């Protein structure tokens, strides 16, 4: 049933009345719109660097944004002062922009006096509405704080463990070693022995502490802190912040993110303790892949607490040789191998002044040199526990073996209440984490593949009391099933819970439809993406956990519709700049290589996608030199105007096999339908197209001309080499979809090429898609933009393999599988490839751009202007789509009602949208801010009537 309740008489408006609601193209004003008093207009939602009140801005020219509650903003004025009082008095001693004729209100760069480390700046903005002679009211005052802009601002020193001895062997520890290292996929005795040796040599995590006294009232207290390795910081018994698995993975030798915490309200007069818990993280990882080059060094931490007292005096508490160190009860910790926690080794109150009683504390070691070239204030949200996942069943596949089924494959951290498990002192419980289990609950870990030598396993050693619930601190797991051994009896299900764990980017997009299957397909794409977002866009959580660049560009469109990706993409683009590789397969980190041009094209595509959705040109400007390095490398591997060298591309990875259990002739997950040179050449044509646009935007006109010429040459060569004019096809669904979406196919051939896709889907593949990672995003618009929306939609509902109902109902999948056709469920074997691969979720962008019709405009990015052009598949009754942009909420909701379609649209203040319906609709209908109720023809290609609220 439709959620719309149309008011009587609304859609009886004659067409001339409907036309009057569209914008006058001459004036740009909304016809008949009410005029708001200029004096009452004040900007809202002020942000700096995408944050409301940032504590650590590390850019010398911060980006300022706001929302203007007017039909159209004509100009703005920004004032910035060193104190709130000066700003209120009109003394903008840092910057007064004056009146700037500009309708934008996103990412406006600060252009005032130079800002110093730690400086607080206060700002406000006012605007002129379009057609108004006088400005509106000033906004409320907002502020930001600058970070430590110079490395010399750091007085603190890096402290590290005095290298405590590895834990001694115990029967429980040996069980953990066997579970994580003795993988049957590794049959070489030397490899297995090396892995055991590396795990045995792994040292415990480390506690650090420093006591200090506050003897007078505190005006402010700011803690600047980070680590090489994962860390948690504490003040007088309480954890600082809710971030985990911190700091984010970077090229640690080049840059490490630090955090800034305001501790003013927590520093009362008296004794205090600043404490750190330090683990290995990616920084000290040298076990899972058996590669010493992945090891940056021993973990270290740095802390600088700057206190300003009410009397004007200052004190700085820094990490140095005065700190004390002690082994943590975490005996082993690895990102890939898991953790061993011995509750008997816990130190009560170690983060409080009273916790210094142990005689085992020793002085911390101090690094002579910093482990990184640069400390950078964190520019994206941290990793947090985001969504609770509760178990659905406890299975008992064998004597003494219990499997906790959480009902959903995800990336996360379990929390276990051992007080309910009645353990004896020294009793060791082993946890193995898996994506798959058979019907009895017997877990299988083959989907973890052979990339890491170790499997994800935790161990907990009881102290006989187990008063506090336990979670691992310095690792996370990809799993649906948690196997538990070492218990004396069956565990209660309520002793277990877990949390989806990811970088806490905001959710901004929402999609729902009348099809429960489609809704599940959407949610599955989200689960797959969110569970591969632990500070990098990873390939899979059970296996490599690396920021594969091809996976990043395969998902960036769908990600940008669902999440506020701007800060995340800026961080990841920075990883391209710090890597030592050219055209890297993975960033950041040292487990990478150069040369795969189709994967590394991500740097170009992500920079462009960031611009489209944010309207921020500064990121392109800052990335430009790095982008030039990439395209220069691309030219070194070109075969004239094609890209045919198969050592430089992966291709349409894991596309659909023609039958369940079929082999891949080229091995691994190489494409069976589309030659790699086809996708590589198409992608490079798109690279040059976007490079030409970015060069033009940044006034590099010679570059723009050269890139345009190169794009045209590659397009022409692509058409000459791969287009079968008789068939109207480039040979596969992916090739055809790319040719249409990337502007390669000539205009005269677009309908034929789209028809070729439609025929291939419907006839050759029985209603299914054959695309892999690279084709997922482009297939659906290539169909629906040319009149084949019904076929595009039908792919999602097609029965049998490889369809989504097959994934859900036959395979039991809850996330997107890397390759759901190689696995033969009737054989009873375990799946051999990842069961959580987000690069198969590129389709989800179409739910917004196609079914919702919401599309950004490259000429007016950030949704200052956007297109509304939904499609209405005959077998779908309703779609509800929304997107929170920098300017406000865009909403597109439609439902079928008898012989018409009701379509409701919301356009934010200070934006415009162009409405286009159907393939043959050439009208340019612009609408301004407001809510519109359209009645459309049954086919959705004609406006019957419209009303604006």
């Amino acid at each position: 049933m439709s959620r719309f309740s149309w008011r009587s008489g609304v859609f009886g408006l004659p067409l001339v009345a409907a036309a009057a609601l569209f914008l006058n193209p001459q004036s740009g004003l909304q016809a008949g719109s009410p005029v708001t008093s200029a004096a009452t207009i004040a900007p809202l939602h002020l942000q700096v660097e995408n944050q409301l009140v940032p504590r650590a801005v590390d850019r010398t020219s911060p980006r300022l944004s706001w929302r203007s509650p007017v039909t159209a903003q004509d100009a703005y004025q920004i004032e910035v002062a060193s104190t709130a009082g000066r700003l209120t008095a009109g003394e903008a001693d840092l910057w007064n922009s004056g009146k700037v004729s500009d309708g934008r209100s996103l990412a406006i760069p600060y252009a005032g006096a130079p800002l110093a480390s730690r400086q607080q700046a206060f700002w406000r903005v006012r605007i002129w509405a379009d057609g108004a002679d006088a400005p509106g009211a000033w906004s409320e005052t907002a502020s930001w704080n600058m970070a430590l802009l110079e490395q010399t601002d750091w007085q603190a020193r890096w402290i590290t463990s005095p290298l405590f001895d590895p834990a001694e062997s115990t029967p429980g520890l040996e069980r953990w070693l066997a579970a994580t290292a003795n993988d049957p996929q590794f049959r070489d005795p030397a490899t297995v022995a090396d892995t055991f040796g590396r795990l045995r040599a792994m040292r415990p995590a480390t506690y650090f502490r420093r006591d200090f006294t506050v003897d007078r009232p505190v005006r402010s207290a700011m803690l600047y802190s980070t680590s090489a390795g994962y860390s948690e910081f504490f003040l007088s018994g309480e954890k600082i912040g809710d971030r985990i698995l911190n700091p984010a993975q970077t090229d640690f030798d080049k840059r490490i993110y630090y955090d800034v915490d305001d501790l003013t309200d927590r520093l009362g007069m008296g004794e205090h303790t600043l404490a750190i818990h330090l683990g290995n993280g990616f920084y000290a990882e040298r076990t899972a892949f058996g590669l010493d080059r992945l090891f940056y060094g021993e973990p270290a931490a740095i802390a600088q607490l700057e206190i300003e007292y009410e009397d004007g005096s200052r004190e700085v508490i820094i990490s140095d040789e005065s700190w004390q160190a002690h082994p943590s009860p975490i005996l082993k910790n690895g990102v890939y191998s898991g953790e061993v926690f011995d509750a008997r080794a816990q130190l009560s109150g170690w983060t409080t002044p009273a916790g210094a009683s142990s005689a085992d504390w020793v002085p911390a070691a101090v690094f002579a040199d910093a482990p990184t070239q640069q400390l950078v204030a964190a520019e994206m949200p941290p990793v947090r526990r985001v969504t609770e996942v509760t178990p659905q069943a406890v299975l008992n596949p064998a004597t003494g073996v219990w499997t906790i089924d959480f009902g959903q494959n995800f990336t996360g951290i379990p929390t276990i209440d051992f007080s309910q498990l009645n353990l004896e002192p020294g009793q060791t419980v082993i946890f193995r984490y898996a994506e798959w289990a058979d019907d009895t609950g017997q877990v299988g870990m083959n989907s973890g593949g052979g990339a890491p030598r170790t499997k994800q396993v935790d161990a907990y050693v009881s102290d006989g009391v187990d008063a506090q619930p336990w979670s691992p601190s310095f690792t996370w797991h990809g799993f649906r099933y948690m196997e538990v051994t070492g218990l004396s009896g069956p565990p209660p299900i309520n002793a277990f819970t877990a949390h989806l764990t990811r970088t806490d980017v905001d959710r901004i997009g929402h999609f729902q439809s009348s099809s429960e299957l489609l809704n599940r397909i959407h949610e599955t794409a989200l689960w797959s993406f969110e569970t591969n977002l632990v500070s990098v866009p990873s390939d899979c959580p059970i296996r490599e956990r690396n920021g594969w660049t091809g996976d990043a560009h395969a998902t960036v469109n769908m990600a940008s519709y669902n999440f506020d990706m701007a800060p995340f993409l800026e961080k990841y683009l920075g990883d391209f700049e710090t890597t030592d590789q050219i055209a890297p397969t993975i960033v950041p980190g040292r487990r990478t290589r150069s040369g795969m041009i189709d994967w590394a094209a991500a740097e170009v595509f992500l920079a462009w996608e960031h611009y489209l959705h944010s309207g921020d040109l500064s990121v392109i400007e800052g990335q430009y030199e790095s982008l030039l390095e990439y395209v220069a490398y691309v030219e070194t591997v070109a075969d004239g105007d094609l890209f045919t060298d198969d050592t430089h591309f992966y291709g349409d990875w894991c596309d659909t096999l023609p039958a369940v259990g079929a082999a891949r002739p080229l091995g691994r997950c190489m494409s069976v339908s589309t030659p790699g040179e086809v996708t590589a050449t198409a992608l490079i044509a798109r690279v040059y197209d976007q490079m030409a646009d970015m060069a033009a935007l940044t006034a590099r006109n010679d570059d723009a001309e050269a890139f345009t010429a190169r794009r045209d040459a590659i397009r022409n060569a692509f058409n000459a080499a791969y287009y079968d004019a008789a068939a109207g096809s480039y040979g596969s669904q992916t090739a055809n979809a790319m040719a249409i979406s990337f502007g390669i196919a000539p205009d005269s051939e677009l309908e034929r090429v789209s028809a070729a896709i439609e025929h291939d889907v419907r006839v050759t593949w029985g209603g299914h898609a054959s695309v892999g990672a690279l084709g997922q995003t482009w297939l659906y618009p290539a169909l629906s933009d040319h009149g084949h929306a019904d076929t595009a939609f039908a792919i999602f509902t097609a029965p049998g393999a490889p369809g989504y109902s097959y994934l859900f109902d036959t395979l039991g999948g809850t996330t997107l599988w890397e390759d759901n056709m190689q696995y033969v469920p009737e054989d009873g074997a375990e799946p051999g490839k990842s069961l959580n691969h987000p690069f198969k979720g590129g389709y989800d962008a179409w739910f917004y751009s196609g079914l919702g019709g919401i599309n950004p405009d490259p000429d007016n990015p950030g949704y200052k202007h956007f297109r509304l052009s939904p499609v209405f598949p005959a077998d779908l009754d309703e779609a509800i789509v929304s997107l929170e942009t920098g300017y406000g909420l865009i909403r597109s909701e439609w439902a079928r009602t008898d012989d018409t379609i009701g379509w409701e649209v919301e356009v934010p203040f200070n934006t415009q949208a162009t409405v286009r319906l159907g393939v043959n609709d050439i009208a340019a209908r612009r609408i301004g801010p407001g809510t519109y109720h359209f009645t459309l023809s049954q086919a959705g290609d004609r406006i019957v009537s419209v009303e604006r609220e």
Side-chain angles (χ1 to χ4, degrees):
M1 173 174 280
S2 169
R3 68 183 294 272
F4 297 113
S5 177
W6 305 111
R7 287 171 290 173
S8 61
V10 166
F11 297 104
L13 293 173
L15 290 182
V16 63
L21 291 179
F22 300 123
L23 292 180
N24 181 337
Q26 307 303 317
S27 68
L29 294 176
Q30 177 67 46
S33 60
V35 178
T36 304
S37 171
T40 65
I41 298 171
L44 308 168
H45 200 65
L46 274 64
Q47 289 192 326
V48 180
E49 294 298 303
N50 214 45
Q51 302 173 63
L52 292 175
V53 187
R55 287 196 291 258
V57 174
D58 214 345
R59 294 171 64 106
T60 56
S61 183
R63 294 162 294 184
L64 313 180
S65 301
W66 62 90
R67 291 182 181 176
S68 297
V70 294
T71 298
Q73 172 189 301
D74 181 65
Y76 66 81
Q77 181 181 9
I78 298 171
E79 289 188 344
V80 185
S82 56
T83 68
R86 283 183 171 177
L87 187 67
T88 303
E91 300 176 13
D93 57 328
L94 294 178
W95 185 38
N96 185 340
S97 70
K99 182 179 179 181
V100 179
S101 296
D102 192 338
R104 297 174 303 136
S105 64
L106 298 182
I108 305 301
Y110 170 84
L115 299 170
S117 294
R118 309 176 185 84
Q119 183 170 358
Q120 187 174 21
F122 299 85
W123 73 291
R124 63 183 183 178
V125 59
R126 64 180 179 180
I127 62 169
W128 283 258
D130 192 13
D133 295 327
W138 286 106
S139 68
E140 296 291 329
T141 297
S143 67
W144 78 84
N145 282 73
M146 299 302 291
L148 301 181
L149 302 179
E150 305 293 337
Q151 298 305 299
T152 54
D153 290 324
W154 288 88
Q155 303 174 43
R157 302 182 67 186
W158 288 88
I159 57 175
T160 187
S161 166
L163 298 183
F164 296 114
D165 293 334
E168 295 182 359
S169 176
T170 65
L173 186 58
E174 293 302 315
R175 286 171 53 211
W176 175 78
L177 286 167
T180 189
N182 199 12
D183 186 340
Q185 294 184 82
F186 294 102
R187 296 182 174 85
D188 177 28
T191 299
V192 174
D194 181 68
T195 304
F196 269 87
R198 290 172 182 269
L199 290 169
R200 291 186 192 280
M202 187 184 291
R203 302 179 187 277
T206 307
Y207 286 158
F208 299 95
R209 55 174 289 126
R210 162 77 149 79
D211 295 330
F212 63 98
T213 302
V214 173
D215 58 6
R216 52 200 182 280
V218 172
R219 177 179 297 161
S220 70
M222 305 296 287
L223 174 65
Y224 303 84
S225 65
T226 190
S227 56
Y230 285 150
S231 61
E232 299 174 310
F233 285 76
F234 301 83
L235 177 65
S236 301
E238 295 184 3
K239 186 179 176 183
I240 299 171
D242 58 357
R243 52 188 177 264
I244 58 175
L245 305 174
N246 197 63
Q249 185 186 8
T250 55
D251 290 308
F252 298 112
D253 55 336
K254 308 292 177 47
R255 62 173 182 161
I256 293 177
Y257 275 4
Y258 70 88
D259 297 294
V260 182
D261 294 284
D262 187 346
L263 304 183
T264 305
D265 293 339
R266 295 170 61 174
L267 274 186
M269 293 175 62
E271 301 299 318
H272 291 277
T273 300
L274 190 59
I276 307 170
H277 194 190
L278 180 65
N280 289 323
F282 283 101
Y283 183 83
E285 172 57 54
R286 57 179 165 189
T287 300
F289 300 96
L291 299 172
D292 288 333
R293 64 181 172 83
L294 304 185
F295 179 72
Y296 288 86
E298 295 294 337
I302 189 169
Q304 184 162 304
L305 176 58
E306 300 185 352
I307 305 172
E308 181 181 356
Y309 294 102
E310 290 286 3
D311 62 9
S313 61
R314 297 175 180 270
E315 183 179 9
V316 182
I317 309 297
I318 63 171
S319 52
D320 59 15
E321 61 278 355
S322 69
W323 285 55
Q324 298 291 299
H326 193 286
S328 159
I330 297 178
L331 307 184
K332 306 285 184 183
N333 73 98
V335 168
Y336 299 92
S337 53
E339 285 187 14
V340 178
F341 182 88
D342 189 342
R344 299 169 301 176
Q346 293 183 94
L347 298 179
S348 178
W350 73 274
T351 63
T352 68
S357 58
S358 172
D360 297 331
W361 289 87
V362 298
V366 177
F367 277 176
D369 299 308
T372 187
Q373 295 177 11
Q374 188 175 21
L375 288 169
V376 179
E379 60 188 326
M380 70 176 181
V383 175
R384 293 189 175 101
R385 293 175 174 87
V386 173
T387 304
E388 185 174 12
V389 184
T390 56
Q392 304 301 301
V394 177
L395 308 174
N396 185 205
T399 301
V401 179
W402 305 92
T403 299
I404 315 303
D405 178 6
F406 284 85
Q408 172 66 52
N409 195 12
F410 68 107
T411 293
I413 293 176
T415 301
I416 303 161
D417 182 0
F418 285 98
S419 69
Q420 298 189 50
L421 303 184
N422 302 314
L423 304 179
E424 298 293 330
Q427 188 172 350
T428 301
V429 183
I430 302 293
F431 302 90
R432 295 200 307 155
Y433 301 86
E435 297 182 307
W436 184 88
D438 65 19
D439 292 340
T440 70
Q442 180 65 49
V443 303
M445 304 180 80
N446 281 351
S447 67
R453 295 180 180 182
T454 56
K455 297 303 183 185
Q456 41 185 13
V457 183
D458 292 330
Y460 179 92
V461 184
S462 174
D463 63 359
V465 178
D466 306 313
Q468 298 297 323
W470 173 85
S471 296
S473 297
F474 302 129
T475 190
W476 74 97
H477 305 298
F479 67 107
R480 170 178 172 173
Y481 303 95
M482 182 171 69
E483 180 197 86
V484 188
T485 57
L487 298 178
S488 304
I493 194 170
N494 63 357
F496 306 94
T497 189
H499 284 84
L500 165 65
T501 299
R502 64 163 172 85
T503 299
D504 195 13
V505 291
D506 290 337
R507 179 80 178 272
I508 60 172
H510 295 276
F511 170 84
Q512 186 178 351
S513 77
S514 55
S515 167
E516 291 303 315
L517 176 58
L518 199 67
N519 296 341
R520 185 175 180 184
I521 293 168
H522 167 63
E523 291 298 324
T524 301
L526 294 187
W527 274 104
S528 303
F529 181 75
E530 288 187 78
T531 53
N532 282 277
L533 207 67
V534 180
S535 81
V536 298
S538 62
D539 56 334
C540 55
I542 192 174
R543 194 165 70 206
E544 297 175 69
R545 308 182 182 194
N546 290 143
W548 283 89
T549 53
D551 300 56
H553 77 69
T555 57
V556 67
N557 292 53
M558 67 81 67
S560 297
Y561 275 117
N562 285 289
F563 301 96
D564 181 5
M565 293 299 293
F568 187 93
L569 292 179
E570 289 173 33
K571 181 269 178 188
Y572 190 63
L573 286 167
D575 294 328
F576 278 91
E577 295 188 80
T578 56
T579 184
D580 292 329
Q581 308 298 316
I582 302 295
T585 56
I586 293 171
V587 296
R590 293 174 172 173
R591 187 179 175 266
T592 185
R593 55 172 288 199
S594 294
M596 306 305 276
I597 59 174
D598 57 345
W599 252 228
E603 184 176 10
V604 176
F605 301 155
L606 268 60
W608 180 250
E609 201 69 19
H610 177 283
Y611 173 70
L612 274 186
H613 289 270
S614 71
D616 181 7
L617 186 59
S618 70
V619 172
I620 290 176
E621 187 69 64
Q623 201 74 23
Y624 194 81
E625 292 303 315
S626 180
L627 297 174
L628 288 181
E629 291 182 5
Y630 165 70
V631 295
Y633 179 84
V634 164
E635 288 305 318
T636 68
V637 301
D639 177 11
D641 296 325
L642 300 175
F643 297 86
T644 61
D645 185 344
D646 63 8
T647 63
H648 291 287
F649 48 73
Y650 287 116
D652 194 26
W653 197 254
C654 288
D655 60 352
T656 306
L657 289 169
V660 173
R664 290 188 179 274
L666 299 179
R668 300 177 71 191
C669 228
M670 304 296 285
S671 176
V672 297
S673 294
T674 311
E677 66 179 75
V678 174
T679 49
T681 302
L683 288 167
I684 299 307
R686 184 174 185 241
V687 162
Y688 279 108
D689 187 43
Q690 294 186 352
M691 286 298 297
D693 287 339
M694 289 189 281
L697 286 167
T698 57
R700 294 173 169 91
N701 296 329
D702 290 345
D703 284 1
E705 184 177 343
F707 291 146
T708 299
R710 190 73 181 109
R711 176 204 65 192
D712 291 345
I714 294 170
R715 285 177 174 177
N716 292 336
F718 186 94
N719 286 316
Y722 306 125
Y723 187 55
D724 182 344
S729 174
Y730 294 87
S732 72
Q733 292 178 23
T734 290
N736 286 329
M738 285 185 167
I740 291 173
S741 300
F742 298 170
I744 297 172
D747 290 346
S748 60
E749 300 298 298
L750 288 175
E751 300 307 317
R752 295 187 67 212
V753 177
S754 184
I757 302 176
E758 195 276 339
H759 182 272
D760 195 60
V761 168
R762 184 171 46 82
V763 178
T764 307
W765 288 88
H768 295 288
S770 66
V771 296
L774 298 181
Q776 281 286 346
T777 298
W778 314 113
L779 174 64
Y780 304 94
L783 283 166
S784 66
D785 288 354
H786 299 278
H788 304 296
D790 287 349
T791 299
F793 175 77
I795 292 171
F796 296 105
T797 60
Y804 292 96
S805 59
Y806 173 75
L807 171 66
F808 299 147
D809 300 334
T810 302
L811 301 182
T814 61
T815 45
L816 298 171
W817 288 25
E818 184 178 18
D819 188 348
N820 64 359
M821 291 292 280
Q822 277 194 316
Y823 174 61
V824 182
E826 292 78 14
D827 289 351
E830 301 175 26
K833 292 188 179 296
S834 160
L835 310 188
N836 190 349
H837 245 68
F839 67 18
K840 287 296 185 73
Y843 61 77
D844 197 72
W846 185 71
F847 294 170
Y848 292 87
S849 66
L851 297 179
I854 301 172
N855 291 274
D857 176 4
D859 294 329
N860 296 274
Y863 296 93
K864 186 71 170 74
H865 172 264
F866 53 96
R867 299 187 300 275
L868 288 171
S869 52
V871 295
F872 307 97
D875 291 335
L876 187 66
D877 292 331
E878 182 179 23
I880 303 170
V881 185
S882 65
L883 180 65
E884 188 73 34
T885 73
Y887 289 99
L889 182 70
I890 299 172
R891 189 166 53 85
S892 173
E893 305 181 4
W894 58 265
R896 297 186 181 278
T897 57
D898 298 328
D899 58 350
T900 62
I901 296 173
W903 180 33
E904 185 171 294
V905 169
E906 185 174 344
V907 178
F909 282 119
N910 196 30
T911 69
Q912 295 180 5
T914 294
V915 175
R916 181 175 180 236
L917 298 170
V919 175
N920 299 315
D921 185 2
I922 60 173
R925 306 178 189 88
R926 284 210 171 202
I927 57 177
T931 299
Y932 299 80
H933 304 278
F934 292 87
T935 295
L936 309 178
S937 61
Q938 189 174 34
D941 58 355
R942 181 172 56 85
I943 297 174
V944 176
S945 59
V946 61
E947 181 187 70
R948 175 179 181 268
E949 287 186 3

